[in-house]
Amino acid sequence: MKQERKIYDSAFKRKAVELSNERSNITELSRELVIRVTMLYKWRKDYDKFGVGSFPGKGILRQTPEQKTINELEAKLKEVDLEVDILKKSSVEVIIKIIR
């Protein structure tokens, strides 16, 4: 029979990473927290790579702060491009009405 997967919240993961950075014996810490050593090493690796955004939650992409900024700026750019297109079309319509 399959075991159910345990889901740990981001606060628990952050605290576990902080404790693992403070302690020298990670195996002992993993036993205390009742998690696998490999899981703790994976969380540490993710935290080192992504920082505060390393445990965002279910279905949310992990992004470095730079990636997040880039995505926000790209979204803004798309919005501004759409506004420019709308203004171009409306200005052409106004010019055609004036000419007639």
Side-chain angles (χ1 to χ4, degrees), residues 10-67:
S10 60
F12 177 81
K13 292 177 183 179
R14 264 194 298 278
K15 188 65 177 171
V17 169
E18 289 172 8
L19 288 172
S20 71
N21 288 331
E22 292 172 3
R23 295 192 187 182
S24 60
N25 193 344
I26 294 178
T27 306
E28 183 181 311
L29 176 64
S30 68
R31 285 188 196 126
E32 289 176 19
L33 297 174
V34 192
I35 58 174
R36 294 177 184 239
V37 176
T38 55
M39 180 83 64
L40 192 52
Y41 278 114
K42 181 186 178 306
W43 291 347
R44 286 177 67 171
K45 181 181 167 188
D46 288 347
Y47 192 80
D48 289 342
K49 185 174 182 181
F50 297 105
V52 178
S54 55
F55 313 117
K58 199 171 189 177
I60 301 172
L61 289 175
R62 286 183 290 200
Q63 298 177 332
T64 61
E66 293 85 15
Q67 290 171 328

